[in-house]
Short mmCIF file of all heavy atoms in Angstrom, two decimals:
data_model
loop_
_atom_site.label_atom_id
_atom_site.label_comp_id
_atom_site.label_asym_id
_atom_site.label_seq_id
_atom_site.Cartn_x
_atom_site.Cartn_y
_atom_site.Cartn_z
N ALA A 271 -4.10 13.89 19.55
CA ALA A 271 -5.19 13.00 19.95
C ALA A 271 -5.58 13.37 21.38
O ALA A 271 -4.75 13.30 22.29
CB ALA A 271 -4.76 11.54 19.87
N VAL A 272 -6.83 13.77 21.56
CA VAL A 272 -7.29 14.26 22.86
C VAL A 272 -8.30 13.29 23.46
O VAL A 272 -9.30 12.94 22.82
CB VAL A 272 -7.93 15.66 22.73
CG1 VAL A 272 -8.32 16.20 24.10
CG2 VAL A 272 -7.00 16.63 22.01
N GLU A 273 -8.03 12.89 24.68
CA GLU A 273 -8.94 12.05 25.45
C GLU A 273 -9.53 12.96 26.53
O GLU A 273 -8.79 13.64 27.24
CB GLU A 273 -8.15 10.90 26.09
CG GLU A 273 -8.98 9.86 26.77
CD GLU A 273 -9.79 9.02 25.80
OE1 GLU A 273 -9.34 8.77 24.67
OE2 GLU A 273 -10.90 8.62 26.20
N VAL A 274 -10.84 13.00 26.64
CA VAL A 274 -11.52 13.87 27.60
C VAL A 274 -12.13 13.01 28.70
O VAL A 274 -12.85 12.06 28.41
CB VAL A 274 -12.62 14.71 26.90
CG1 VAL A 274 -13.28 15.65 27.90
CG2 VAL A 274 -12.04 15.49 25.73
N LYS A 275 -11.82 13.36 29.95
CA LYS A 275 -12.32 12.59 31.09
C LYS A 275 -12.99 13.52 32.10
O LYS A 275 -12.41 14.52 32.52
CB LYS A 275 -11.18 11.84 31.79
CG LYS A 275 -10.47 10.84 30.90
CD LYS A 275 -11.39 9.69 30.55
CE LYS A 275 -10.68 8.65 29.72
NZ LYS A 275 -11.60 7.64 29.23
N ASN A 276 -14.19 13.15 32.49
CA ASN A 276 -14.91 13.87 33.53
C ASN A 276 -15.10 12.87 34.67
O ASN A 276 -16.06 12.11 34.68
CB ASN A 276 -16.24 14.38 33.00
CG ASN A 276 -16.94 15.28 34.00
OD1 ASN A 276 -16.42 15.55 35.07
ND2 ASN A 276 -18.13 15.73 33.64
N ALA A 277 -14.14 12.85 35.58
CA ALA A 277 -14.16 11.85 36.65
C ALA A 277 -13.70 12.48 37.97
O ALA A 277 -13.10 13.55 37.98
CB ALA A 277 -13.25 10.69 36.28
N LYS A 278 -13.97 11.78 39.05
CA LYS A 278 -13.56 12.27 40.37
C LYS A 278 -12.12 11.90 40.68
O LYS A 278 -11.44 12.59 41.43
CB LYS A 278 -14.49 11.73 41.45
CG LYS A 278 -15.88 12.32 41.35
CD LYS A 278 -16.78 11.79 42.43
CE LYS A 278 -18.17 12.40 42.25
NZ LYS A 278 -19.14 11.85 43.14
N THR A 279 -11.65 10.77 40.12
CA THR A 279 -10.26 10.34 40.36
C THR A 279 -9.61 9.98 39.03
O THR A 279 -10.26 9.50 38.10
CB THR A 279 -10.19 9.11 41.30
OG1 THR A 279 -10.93 8.05 40.73
CG2 THR A 279 -10.72 9.46 42.68
N PHE A 280 -8.31 10.20 38.98
CA PHE A 280 -7.53 9.91 37.78
C PHE A 280 -7.17 8.43 37.74
O PHE A 280 -6.81 7.85 38.75
CB PHE A 280 -6.25 10.76 37.79
CG PHE A 280 -5.47 10.68 36.51
CD1 PHE A 280 -5.78 11.53 35.46
CD2 PHE A 280 -4.45 9.76 36.35
CE1 PHE A 280 -5.08 11.46 34.27
CE2 PHE A 280 -3.74 9.68 35.17
CZ PHE A 280 -4.05 10.53 34.12
N SER A 281 -7.26 7.83 36.56
CA SER A 281 -6.91 6.42 36.40
C SER A 281 -5.65 6.31 35.55
O SER A 281 -5.57 6.88 34.46
CB SER A 281 -8.05 5.67 35.72
OG SER A 281 -7.63 4.37 35.35
N ARG A 282 -4.66 5.57 36.03
CA ARG A 282 -3.41 5.35 35.28
C ARG A 282 -3.65 4.61 33.97
O ARG A 282 -2.87 4.71 33.04
CB ARG A 282 -2.41 4.57 36.13
CG ARG A 282 -1.92 5.33 37.33
CD ARG A 282 -0.90 6.34 36.92
NE ARG A 282 -0.55 7.16 38.06
CZ ARG A 282 0.23 8.20 37.98
NH1 ARG A 282 0.76 8.55 36.85
NH2 ARG A 282 0.51 8.90 39.05
N ALA A 283 -4.74 3.86 33.89
CA ALA A 283 -5.07 3.13 32.66
C ALA A 283 -5.32 4.09 31.49
O ALA A 283 -5.15 3.72 30.33
CB ALA A 283 -6.28 2.23 32.89
N TRP A 284 -5.72 5.31 31.80
CA TRP A 284 -5.97 6.31 30.75
C TRP A 284 -4.71 6.62 29.97
O TRP A 284 -4.77 6.92 28.78
CB TRP A 284 -6.52 7.58 31.35
CG TRP A 284 -7.83 7.46 32.04
CD1 TRP A 284 -8.72 6.42 31.99
CD2 TRP A 284 -8.41 8.42 32.92
NE1 TRP A 284 -9.81 6.68 32.77
CE2 TRP A 284 -9.65 7.91 33.36
CE3 TRP A 284 -8.02 9.66 33.38
CZ2 TRP A 284 -10.48 8.59 34.23
CZ3 TRP A 284 -8.85 10.35 34.24
CH2 TRP A 284 -10.07 9.82 34.66
N ILE A 285 -3.56 6.57 30.64
CA ILE A 285 -2.28 6.89 29.98
C ILE A 285 -2.03 5.92 28.84
O ILE A 285 -1.74 6.33 27.71
CB ILE A 285 -1.10 6.86 30.99
CG1 ILE A 285 -1.30 7.90 32.10
CG2 ILE A 285 0.23 7.04 30.29
CD1 ILE A 285 -1.23 9.34 31.65
N GLN A 286 -2.14 4.63 29.12
CA GLN A 286 -1.90 3.61 28.08
C GLN A 286 -2.92 3.75 26.95
O GLN A 286 -2.58 3.64 25.79
CB GLN A 286 -1.95 2.21 28.70
CG GLN A 286 -1.56 1.11 27.73
CD GLN A 286 -0.14 1.26 27.19
OE1 GLN A 286 0.76 1.72 27.88
NE2 GLN A 286 0.05 0.89 25.95
N LYS A 287 -4.17 3.99 27.31
CA LYS A 287 -5.21 4.15 26.29
C LYS A 287 -4.92 5.36 25.41
O LYS A 287 -5.07 5.30 24.18
CB LYS A 287 -6.59 4.29 26.93
CG LYS A 287 -7.70 4.41 25.89
CD LYS A 287 -9.04 4.64 26.53
CE LYS A 287 -10.18 4.73 25.53
NZ LYS A 287 -10.00 5.57 24.38
N ALA A 288 -4.48 6.44 26.01
CA ALA A 288 -4.16 7.65 25.24
C ALA A 288 -3.02 7.37 24.26
O ALA A 288 -3.05 7.83 23.11
CB ALA A 288 -3.80 8.80 26.17
N LYS A 289 -2.02 6.62 24.70
CA LYS A 289 -0.90 6.26 23.82
C LYS A 289 -1.39 5.39 22.65
O LYS A 289 -1.01 5.62 21.50
CB LYS A 289 0.18 5.51 24.60
CG LYS A 289 0.97 6.38 25.54
CD LYS A 289 2.01 5.53 26.28
CE LYS A 289 2.84 6.34 27.23
NZ LYS A 289 3.85 5.52 27.91
N GLU A 290 -2.22 4.42 22.95
CA GLU A 290 -2.74 3.53 21.90
C GLU A 290 -3.62 4.30 20.92
O GLU A 290 -3.50 4.12 19.70
CB GLU A 290 -3.53 2.39 22.54
CG GLU A 290 -2.65 1.41 23.29
CD GLU A 290 -3.44 0.43 24.17
OE1 GLU A 290 -4.70 0.47 24.15
OE2 GLU A 290 -2.78 -0.36 24.88
N ASP A 291 -4.47 5.17 21.44
CA ASP A 291 -5.34 5.98 20.57
C ASP A 291 -4.51 6.91 19.69
O ASP A 291 -4.84 7.14 18.53
CB ASP A 291 -6.32 6.80 21.41
CG ASP A 291 -7.35 5.93 22.11
OD1 ASP A 291 -7.49 4.74 21.75
OD2 ASP A 291 -8.01 6.43 23.04
N SER A 292 -3.44 7.43 20.25
CA SER A 292 -2.55 8.32 19.51
C SER A 292 -1.89 7.58 18.35
O SER A 292 -1.81 8.08 17.23
CB SER A 292 -1.50 8.88 20.47
OG SER A 292 -0.60 9.72 19.79
N LEU A 293 -1.43 6.36 18.62
CA LEU A 293 -0.83 5.55 17.56
C LEU A 293 -1.83 5.22 16.46
O LEU A 293 -1.50 5.21 15.28
CB LEU A 293 -0.27 4.25 18.15
CG LEU A 293 1.04 4.34 18.89
CD1 LEU A 293 1.38 3.01 19.57
CD2 LEU A 293 2.16 4.75 17.95
N ARG A 294 -3.04 4.95 16.85
CA ARG A 294 -4.10 4.57 15.90
C ARG A 294 -4.32 5.64 14.84
O ARG A 294 -4.61 5.33 13.69
CB ARG A 294 -5.39 4.29 16.67
CG ARG A 294 -6.49 3.65 15.85
CD ARG A 294 -7.70 3.25 16.68
NE ARG A 294 -7.38 2.08 17.51
CZ ARG A 294 -7.48 2.05 18.83
NH1 ARG A 294 -7.91 3.09 19.49
NH2 ARG A 294 -7.18 0.97 19.51
N VAL A 295 -4.18 6.91 15.21
CA VAL A 295 -4.42 8.01 14.26
C VAL A 295 -3.12 8.70 13.84
O VAL A 295 -3.14 9.76 13.24
CB VAL A 295 -5.42 9.04 14.83
CG1 VAL A 295 -6.79 8.44 14.99
CG2 VAL A 295 -4.92 9.66 16.11
N SER A 296 -1.99 8.09 14.19
CA SER A 296 -0.66 8.64 13.87
C SER A 296 -0.50 10.07 14.41
O SER A 296 0.01 10.95 13.72
CB SER A 296 -0.42 8.63 12.36
OG SER A 296 -0.48 7.33 11.86
N ALA A 297 -0.97 10.27 15.62
CA ALA A 297 -0.88 11.60 16.24
C ALA A 297 0.54 11.87 16.71
O ALA A 297 1.28 10.96 17.09
CB ALA A 297 -1.85 11.70 17.41
N ASP A 298 0.90 13.14 16.69
CA ASP A 298 2.20 13.56 17.19
C ASP A 298 2.20 13.68 18.70
O ASP A 298 3.23 13.45 19.34
CB ASP A 298 2.57 14.93 16.57
CG ASP A 298 2.63 14.85 15.07
OD1 ASP A 298 3.62 14.31 14.55
OD2 ASP A 298 1.69 15.33 14.41
N ILE A 299 1.05 14.07 19.25
CA ILE A 299 0.97 14.33 20.69
C ILE A 299 -0.32 13.75 21.26
O ILE A 299 -1.41 14.07 20.78
CB ILE A 299 1.00 15.85 20.98
CG1 ILE A 299 2.27 16.47 20.42
CG2 ILE A 299 0.86 16.13 22.47
CD1 ILE A 299 2.30 17.99 20.50
N PRO A 300 -0.22 12.91 22.30
CA PRO A 300 -1.42 12.47 23.01
C PRO A 300 -1.68 13.38 24.21
O PRO A 300 -0.74 13.80 24.90
CB PRO A 300 -1.05 11.05 23.48
CG PRO A 300 0.44 11.07 23.60
CD PRO A 300 0.96 12.10 22.63
N VAL A 301 -2.95 13.70 24.43
CA VAL A 301 -3.33 14.59 25.53
C VAL A 301 -4.55 14.02 26.25
O VAL A 301 -5.46 13.50 25.61
CB VAL A 301 -3.67 16.01 25.02
CG1 VAL A 301 -4.12 16.91 26.16
CG2 VAL A 301 -2.50 16.64 24.29
N ILE A 302 -4.53 14.14 27.57
CA ILE A 302 -5.72 13.83 28.38
C ILE A 302 -6.15 15.13 29.04
O ILE A 302 -5.37 15.76 29.77
CB ILE A 302 -5.42 12.77 29.46
CG1 ILE A 302 -5.02 11.44 28.81
CG2 ILE A 302 -6.64 12.59 30.37
CD1 ILE A 302 -4.55 10.38 29.79
N VAL A 303 -7.38 15.53 28.78
CA VAL A 303 -7.97 16.69 29.45
C VAL A 303 -8.96 16.12 30.45
O VAL A 303 -9.91 15.44 30.07
CB VAL A 303 -8.69 17.62 28.44
CG1 VAL A 303 -9.32 18.80 29.17
CG2 VAL A 303 -7.74 18.10 27.36
N SER A 304 -8.72 16.39 31.73
CA SER A 304 -9.50 15.72 32.77
C SER A 304 -9.86 16.67 33.91
O SER A 304 -9.12 17.59 34.22
CB SER A 304 -8.70 14.54 33.31
OG SER A 304 -9.39 13.91 34.36
#
Side-chain angles (χ1 to χ4, degrees):
V272 184
E273 187 70 32
V274 182
K275 299 293 183 187
N276 187 2
K278 291 181 181 174
T279 59
F280 188 86
S281 170
R282 293 283 174 186
W284 298 346
I285 299 293
Q286 187 60 34
K287 182 184 182 313
K289 288 179 179 181
E290 291 168 3
D291 292 346
S292 179
L293 283 173
R294 190 174 287 123
V295 294
S296 300
D298 300 284
I299 302 173
V301 177
I302 297 173
V303 179
S304 177

